[in-house]
Amino acid sequence: MGNASGRQKQKPLILGPTPGSGMGAYAVTFDTSLDDRELATLTESESPDAFYLPWKSGDVTECEIDLATDAITYFFTANLSGCSLWYKFHEGRIFIRHEARTDSASQNPHKLAGFKCVVDSSLNPDDVQLSVDQETMVRKARYYVVYAIFDHEARQVEFRAQLVAQQTNLLSRQESYALVKVATVVVKFPGL
């Protein structure tokens, strides 16, 4: 868990294919042997340590994680390409929303409900891009990968918003990844 622990040279942490059952608690394993990325894989388990929140086209998805238990160490959500991620604490829980709509009218209810924005990937249109070179058949994509680490001892959660550049050869299916930038938001748990 090199990137997740912050001890190794940073390379993007990419979430592998998510389990078919969707939102919920899973066990996560990290593959740090890849040259250009770290891979997080979620599996169903009786001892989950991660929570996954999917996205829904044109809508918002929301989850809640109980802070009184230290079982959940990691949070993952779907990639953001024009989406935003929000959080708020309430009665010993953290509520996290993945907003797939990017206009201010859809985001205002989050603000009014007391949510705070972790990242809004629609703010800089140069960050989120997709192009395909018709001659080489190489697809270039830039998008945000957001995950969080819960430190129950320090009573905080650290959200990491990574801007990732991905290149995929559409003929050979070879992929490569590069970390463009990382922004972190560290939030202390409220008193329980």
Side-chain angles (χ1 to χ4, degrees):
M1 146 176 87
N3 192 22
S5 68
R7 288 193 220 44
Q8 294 180 354
K9 177 181 179 272
Q10 287 230 334
K11 52 187 174 181
L13 175 62
I14 304 297
L15 182 62
T18 55
S21 52
M23 180 173 18
Y26 298 95
V28 63
T29 56
F30 297 95
D31 181 352
T32 59
S33 67
L34 303 167
D35 289 336
D36 62 347
R37 67 191 176 278
E38 182 173 353
L39 184 65
T41 304
L42 300 178
T43 56
E44 294 186 10
S45 170
E46 292 183 18
S47 305
D49 61 350
F51 197 95
Y52 174 68
L53 176 65
W55 76 291
K56 185 175 180 184
S57 182
D59 207 346
V60 62
T61 55
E62 181 178 294
C63 70
E64 62 182 87
I65 299 171
D66 187 350
L67 299 174
T69 176
D70 62 359
I72 300 298
T73 304
Y74 301 98
F75 165 83
F76 298 94
T77 191
N79 296 338
L80 282 72
S81 55
C83 304
S84 56
L85 190 74
W86 302 75
Y87 77 92
K88 83 171 182 178
F89 295 102
H90 183 68
E91 296 182 356
R93 299 176 183 276
I94 185 170
F95 291 79
I96 305 173
R97 288 182 176 176
H98 185 137
E99 174 65 67
R101 299 168 293 185
T102 59
D103 59 276
S104 61
S106 65
Q107 292 182 356
N108 282 338
H110 305 318
K111 294 174 186 172
L112 293 173
F115 282 84
K116 295 185 172 127
C117 189
V118 173
V119 64
D120 183 349
S121 67
S122 69
L123 291 179
N124 186 349
D126 292 332
D127 280 357
V128 179
Q129 304 170 25
L130 176 66
S131 65
V132 177
D133 183 316
Q134 295 300 317
E135 190 173 307
T136 63
M137 293 307 291
V138 171
R139 183 184 77 173
K140 294 180 180 182
R142 288 169 61 129
Y143 51 86
Y144 282 87
V145 176
V146 181
Y147 64 98
I149 302 170
F150 288 85
D151 184 339
H152 295 279
E153 190 173 304
R155 300 188 41 75
Q156 67 184 27
V157 59
E158 179 181 340
F159 289 96
R160 294 183 183 175
Q162 307 172 112
L163 180 59
V164 174
Q166 176 189 11
Q167 288 192 39
T168 306
N169 183 312
L170 298 176
L171 301 174
S172 69
R173 305 308 286 170
Q174 281 191 303
E175 296 179 325
S176 64
Y177 295 84
L179 186 60
V180 178
K181 66 181 175 182
V182 179
T184 61
V185 175
V186 178
V187 184
K188 292 284 189 184
F189 294 173
L192 293 177

